[in-house]
Amino acid sequence: MSPRLKLFQGALSLRPRWSIRDRILPISCTRFVPSRPITSDEKPLPKKDESGPGPNQDQLPHVSEEAAATGKITGEGGPEVEQGTPVQEILQRDGQSQDKAPKVMQDELKSTSGGSRSFSTSARAQQEAMISFEDTGLETTGHNFELPALPLPSRMHMKHRYDPVIKQVTNLLMRDGKLSVAQRNMAMILNFLRTASPPMINPDRPLLPGAPPASHLPLNPVLYLTLAIDSVAPLMRIRAQKGLAGGGAALQIPMPLGLRQRRRQAVMWILDVVSKKPSRSSGRSRFAQRVAEELIAVVEGRSSVWERRGAVHKQGVGARANLNHRRR
């Protein structure tokens, strides 16, 4: 039997094949916005005016111009807007530029050739405001104290702005190199002396001769501190010289002290007494308060520092015969 011909299969094989890309319909990118009618409550937007800028497109004025306009309205003087050297002054200096200047400016220069400027820059205005009292011969008034004489002394320096007693006591109060803590304690001590009641002077232990009345001491705490330290400061110290008495025995010899040495010894005695007293409360101001109380006790003659000073003076008077002793 003869084979059959597959006519329909062959016809199907000759058909062109459609791809997926050809089957996708083109989609339009145009977006249709439905129009909405304007109601009676709404107003249409204003149309763009091509003739000029809008109301919010005006350029703002400069800060100085705005301040000048505000000063003119309020009646106050505004800032000086015209600063720098004007063109007229530049043309007056340069003769070649005057020929190339506009005719209006040339006429203005000719009319004001003999005058002066009607305004000046801020720098010149400040220079004119500076008045030299020495040239005018006017006397300076309003000073409570007279002005210092020139040239200034060499010790009028920032490092020497404190009283010598304040500086020395502050250095003796300092621990571990903490100068700011010592300065704070020194300020508290002076404040306690200033706010304390006037001391009661003991006639058996008088202060230095020429001291002010007791009621005046709190008014000057620096003088209060200086008077307390100098009144209890010893005049001498006892030095033990070995071998002078023979047989290796030490000989007591009194040695005079200078001003700073006397004050240092008095401050060390006061701090020693303060360290032995118990503290009644805690706080960083307690130490300064105890020192101030001990200074007041020194002025009133109640401190034990007076006994130490008397013992040193008594020993020095007894050993004064050893000053002329010679080594055997």
Side-chain angles (χ1 to χ4, degrees), residues 155-164 166-167 183:
R155 292 192 60 84
M156 288 193 65
H157 194 267
M158 181 189 68
K159 295 182 179 180
H160 309 290
R161 62 186 182 273
Y162 299 117
D163 190 87
I166 298 297
K167 185 176 180 181
Q183 290 176 347

Side-chain angles (χ1 to χ4, degrees), residues 135-302:
D135 299 339
T136 56
L138 299 177
E139 296 182 0
T140 57
T141 58
H143 297 285
N144 295 331
F145 305 95
E146 59 181 5
L147 298 179
L150 298 178
L152 297 176
S154 59
R155 292 192 60 84
M156 288 193 65
H157 194 267
M158 181 189 68
K159 295 182 179 180
H160 309 290
R161 62 186 182 273
Y162 299 117
D163 190 87
V165 179
I166 298 297
K167 185 176 180 181
Q168 185 177 8
V169 176
T170 303
N171 293 336
L172 294 176
L173 292 176
M174 181 171 56
R175 294 291 181 270
D176 301 329
K178 298 178 181 180
L179 182 60
S180 60
V181 178
Q183 290 176 347
R184 183 187 63 198
N185 291 332
M186 190 72 252
M188 290 182 181
I189 291 172
L190 296 177
N191 188 33
F192 283 127
L193 294 178
R194 182 181 61 84
T195 57
S197 58
M200 303 295 294
I201 306 299
N202 188 2
D204 296 336
R205 291 173 177 173
L207 302 177
L208 291 179
S215 59
H216 295 180
L217 292 179
L219 303 177
N220 192 348
V222 179
L223 178 61
Y224 200 163
L225 175 67
T226 306
L227 186 61
I229 294 176
D230 290 346
S231 297
V232 80
L235 299 176
M236 65 191 75
R237 68 181 182 91
I238 306 301
R239 181 171 65 91
Q241 186 70 29
K242 294 182 179 181
L244 288 183
L251 192 66
Q252 305 294 332
I253 300 178
M255 300 292 296
L257 296 177
L259 180 60
R260 288 182 57 86
Q261 293 175 335
R262 296 177 60 242
R263 289 174 175 173
R264 182 184 182 278
Q265 187 63 46
V267 173
M268 296 304 296
W269 283 349
I270 293 173
L271 294 180
D272 186 25
V273 174
V274 170
S275 62
K276 293 179 180 179
K277 287 186 177 181
S279 181
R280 290 174 293 181
S281 61
S282 60
R284 61 181 185 179
S285 63
R286 281 301 307 163
F287 174 75
Q289 186 174 358
R290 285 188 297 167
V291 175
E293 291 175 355
E294 188 64 26
L295 290 172
I296 296 174
V298 168
V299 175
E300 293 181 348
R302 299 181 289 102

Side-chain angles (χ1 to χ4, degrees), residues 30-31 35 39 74-75 95 109 112 117 119 130 137 142 144 158-159 172 185 206 218 241 264 288 310 321:
T30 305
R31 184 179 180 183
S35 59
T39 61
T74 57
L109 289 175
T112 60
R117 291 177 57 181
F119 62 93
M130 298 174 62
N144 295 331
M158 181 189 68
K159 295 182 179 180
L172 294 176
N185 291 332
Q241 186 70 29
R264 182 184 182 278

